[in-house]
Amino acid sequence: MLQFSYQKKVLYAFCSLSLIPLVVLAIFSAMSLKTVEELLRDSAIDALDQQAAEALEVRAVMVASEVSTFLRSVEDHLAAFAQLEPAAENYLHFSRTHRRQVWVRTGTNVEPAEDRRIIPLYSELAFVNADGIEQVRIQNDQVRPERRDVSRPANTTYLTETYFASAQDLPPGQIYVSHVTGWHVNKVKQLQGAATVEEAVEGRKYEGVVRFARPVHAADGRLLGVAVLSLDHRHLMEFTQHVSPTEERFVVFPSYRSGNYAFMFDNEGWIITHPKFWDIRGLDSDGHLVPPYTKHSSPEAVAKGVIPYNLGQAAFVHPNYPFVHQAVLGGRSGVVDVTNVGGSRKIMAYAPVFYSQGRYAESGVFGGVTIGAEVRQFHKTAERASARIDRLFAGFLGSAWILIGLTAVLVTIAAYKLARSVTNPLLSLITTTREMARGNLEARVEISSPNEVADLAIAFNRMAGQLRERQGRLFRTVSQLRRSRHEILRERNLKKTIVENVETGILTLDTENQVTSFNSSASRILGLDQVPLGLPLVETLQNWPELLEALERAPGRVKWGEYISMARKDVTLTYRLTLYPLETGPDPGRILTVEDLTERVNLRQKMARFERLASLGRLSAGIAHEVRNPLTGISLLLDELHDRLLGNPGDQRLIQKALQEIERLEGLVNELLRFSSLPVKRRSEGSIAEVLNDTLFLVDKQCERQGVELAIDLPVDLPNLSMDPDQLKQAFLNLLTNALDAMPDGGRLSVTARTDQQTLCIAFADTGAGILAEDNALIFEPFYTTKGEGTGLGLSITHTIIANHGGQIEVTSRPGEGCRFEICLPLAG
């Protein structure tokens, strides 16, 4: 068996213990890093692909939502159109005031250009009398002299339309909505000699309509006729024609060859917007629907592009097309893999367009919107991330192996030198120690070299004499330390528990006014989560200048306290500051306490306001009751006097003015009574959407007269509430009226709504003059007004109605930028 010297043993042991784990660790790290690299790359690719798919689906849902909103706006236009007197000048004005921008290609196939045009929303507007004869017809902003009998489908524009027969028997309030109707455009007509649809600028465009019609009845219920609006198909095309899933996001015309485009289909599966116009549903020259592309279609017909495309019949192209059609009819959105007719593999997101009028009432779906992204384009981000991860890991492994090699060389050299310096002195120390172990306590370690081993020998010699003496003292000291440690830990834990759980924020300051500690309450109240200890108080409270200003007024080392009020994010906060001198320890400092009294102060203010409103209500009711009866008597007497002075027109005018003033006073008395009377709880669960729509209908005409743009963004699935609809309608109407009063020269009035699990919030925002900051706290007070007229009770009544429904109303305003009132109501149940 080989024998090694102590020096070699130390050298070999040191090298083995240092290098072997290092090599093993390097190999294991390389294997682990390779595994991590693969997992990270796969996870990154999956995450990026999932993120891209979700983004594509969200975009499809957004486009579908825009189409739904647009279709409902057409219903509103039809309702307003049906109210017009059927005259050519009225219909021309309606056509010229209802327009929308389209983005189109112009120029030639060789030199294409782009243009943004404002065109009429409706290519045809007509009123058909009860006999089916067109009384007035506007086409492309021109009055048409023909008086067609459209009760016969053969006389209609597309030879087979039945919109008059379908609409005349509808009950009041119901409308007829057709599918997309237009002449089919085949491949030859669209391309006009161009090689692809992307180059076909001069080719024929698809021209179609969607008919919206509703019966018009007299007051006695007799049918007067049918009002018809024909939506220009180009406005539907605008929703999908410019969508691109690439970095461009929007283009004037998409690339069909790449598969990066969007299209729309109806509830029957027919494509109704598409870059290839011959894929869009259309009629032949006899007005009959052209059959769809199926697996039985002839190759010649497919090559000529004379057949449109229906997703429900396209399973032979890819089974996911009919799946998407059925999913949309079920109201679902999602993402699938498909291959289009051109052979492009792509990822396709789809979303339903919810609409339930006319021919879409049964399914509740107008159709669907799809957005496709070519597979390579879809995975481009993930592939770039994967390549970058590969480069990073390769560089890391190369650097790691170089570092390991250098470390191995240095460890070997250091081990050799260390072994020589340690083993020689240790051999002498070992020999002397063995002598002492045999009982020779007179033996001493004699080492002449001035190093740590020599110090060890001296300490060893001294230790032998002191060991027994110190052993006894050590046992006693250990016992005392255990008892002291237990008491200190118990006291420390008690104080820490008290300080950390007290609601008051506590900060300790040293003599240099630096923060040495603060508890969790101080962190919560002052937002000190990211603030380190040891900073000066001025830097710690740099976001609270009001507190610093108050602390500058504090005296020296005496107790001091003060209440501070300040504004943060439109909320007034009330804090109580207190400074205490800290006399313990060698460096006495101070303790700063911060107590948040905002909720307590707000509660007191609310209670005070409730008491004022109650007193004011009782006073208003008494005054209104005492004033109403005399006013009634005076009004009757003046009316009698007015009738007796038939021969004195001048006196009659004076009496008439007096009666008008009395009527104004009666209106004020009624406002006082309405404000003071206790609300009668007539709540029932109902639709807040109906209340909002009814209220908005009341101000729609006034908005048009004042030139105010009314922007409505309400979710289609607003939940029901337990409410008094009349009271809420009054509250909404007060806010809308105030907004219109603030915009006499026009502006924008927006109404939005949002929901969470417990509340429904409705916001009314205008672009008027706004409210001054000093008036914000007073606008809900009775009789306070900034308009110079009125009773000043509108907002106070609105506040009371919302409070009685268990809700809240808040206002945010900046002078010159308008106001925003937000009402939050609890959901039913």
Side-chain angles (χ1 to χ4, degrees), residues 627-640 658-659 662:
V627 170
R628 170 180 276 183
N629 291 338
L631 282 179
T632 302
I634 293 172
S635 177
L636 292 174
L637 292 174
L638 287 176
D639 194 24
E640 179 66 23
L659 287 171
I662 290 174

Side-chain angles (χ1 to χ4, degrees), residues 503-505 520-528 544 575 594-596:
E503 287 295 323
T504 302
S520 59
S521 296
S523 177
R524 172 178 52 81
I525 295 172
L526 300 176
L528 305 180
W544 302 89
Y575 287 176
V594 183
E595 188 175 1
D596 188 355

Side-chain angles (χ1 to χ4, degrees), residues 355 509 523 696:
Y355 186 69
L509 311 176
S523 177
L696 292 171

Side-chain angles (χ1 to χ4, degrees), residues 292-338:
Y293 177 29
T294 68
K295 62 182 179 181
H296 303 297
S297 300
S298 66
E300 294 79 13
V302 175
K304 292 180 180 179
V306 295
I307 47 179
Y309 201 87
N310 188 301
L311 268 64
Q313 305 290 327
F316 68 98
V317 178
H318 198 286
N320 277 336
Y321 281 123
F323 170 81
V324 168
H325 177 217
Q326 292 301 319
V328 164
L329 290 180
R332 302 187 303 275
S333 61
V335 180
V336 295
D337 295 325
V338 296

Side-chain angles (χ1 to χ4, degrees), residues 362-532:
E362 181 177 354
S363 63
V365 174
F366 177 82
V369 170
T370 73
I371 302 177
E374 195 266 338
V375 171
R376 288 176 298 175
Q377 176 71 28
F378 183 81
H379 293 306
K380 185 179 294 183
T381 302
E383 291 172 355
R384 287 198 297 264
S386 175
R388 185 177 181 186
I389 291 171
D390 288 340
R391 291 194 300 272
L392 290 174
F393 273 91
F396 177 81
L397 287 175
S399 301
W401 280 112
I402 293 173
L403 181 61
I404 289 171
L406 293 176
T407 303
V409 173
L410 293 176
V411 165
T412 303
I413 296 173
Y416 178 78
K417 291 187 175 182
L418 181 62
R420 287 181 57 84
S421 65
V422 171
T423 56
N424 292 337
L426 282 179
L427 290 174
S428 177
L429 179 61
I430 291 171
T431 301
T432 305
T433 304
R434 287 174 178 172
E435 288 294 323
M436 295 181 65
R438 295 189 188 103
N440 185 12
L441 299 180
E442 297 298 324
R444 293 292 182 268
V445 178
E446 296 179 358
I447 298 178
S448 58
S449 59
N451 53 31
E452 292 81 2
V453 178
D455 295 338
L456 177 61
I458 295 171
F460 184 85
N461 295 333
R462 187 183 303 115
M463 178 188 65
Q466 298 175 349
L467 183 59
R468 183 172 298 277
E469 178 185 355
R470 292 186 178 182
Q471 185 179 27
R473 290 202 304 267
L474 180 61
F475 287 152
R476 292 191 297 272
T477 302
V478 168
S479 179
Q480 293 174 358
L481 286 175
R482 286 177 179 173
R483 291 195 297 270
S484 298
R485 180 177 179 274
H486 179 73
E487 294 296 331
I488 292 171
L489 288 176
R490 185 173 63 179
E491 183 178 357
R492 186 194 66 181
N493 293 337
L494 175 62
K495 292 180 179 179
K496 183 177 180 180
T497 301
I498 294 174
V499 170
E500 286 298 322
N501 290 281
V502 70
E503 287 295 323
T504 302
I506 301 174
L507 298 89
T508 59
L509 311 176
D510 60 15
T511 54
E512 301 298 328
N513 230 27
Q514 291 184 338
V515 178
T516 58
S517 68
F518 53 81
N519 65 351
S520 59
S521 296
S523 177
R524 172 178 52 81
I525 295 172
L526 300 176
L528 305 180
D529 295 339
Q530 305 299 324
V531 177

Side-chain angles (χ1 to χ4, degrees), residues 606-675:
K606 288 183 180 180
M607 292 302 296
R609 183 178 185 274
F610 290 156
E611 291 176 0
R612 290 199 307 274
L613 289 178
S615 300
L616 187 57
R618 291 191 293 270
L619 178 62
S620 300
I623 293 175
H625 182 72
E626 293 299 328
V627 170
R628 170 180 276 183
N629 291 338
L631 282 179
T632 302
I634 293 172
S635 177
L636 292 174
L637 292 174
L638 287 176
D639 194 24
E640 179 66 23
L641 184 59
H642 176 272
D643 293 340
R644 293 184 181 184
L645 295 176
L646 295 177
N648 297 316
D651 293 339
Q652 281 188 321
R653 282 195 298 273
L654 291 176
I655 293 173
Q656 184 64 34
K657 289 182 178 295
L659 287 171
Q660 292 174 353
E661 292 301 312
I662 290 174
E663 185 176 353
R664 189 175 68 85
L665 286 175
E666 287 181 345
L668 177 58
V669 168
N670 290 333
E671 287 290 326
L672 288 172
L673 286 175
R674 187 179 302 112
F675 170 73

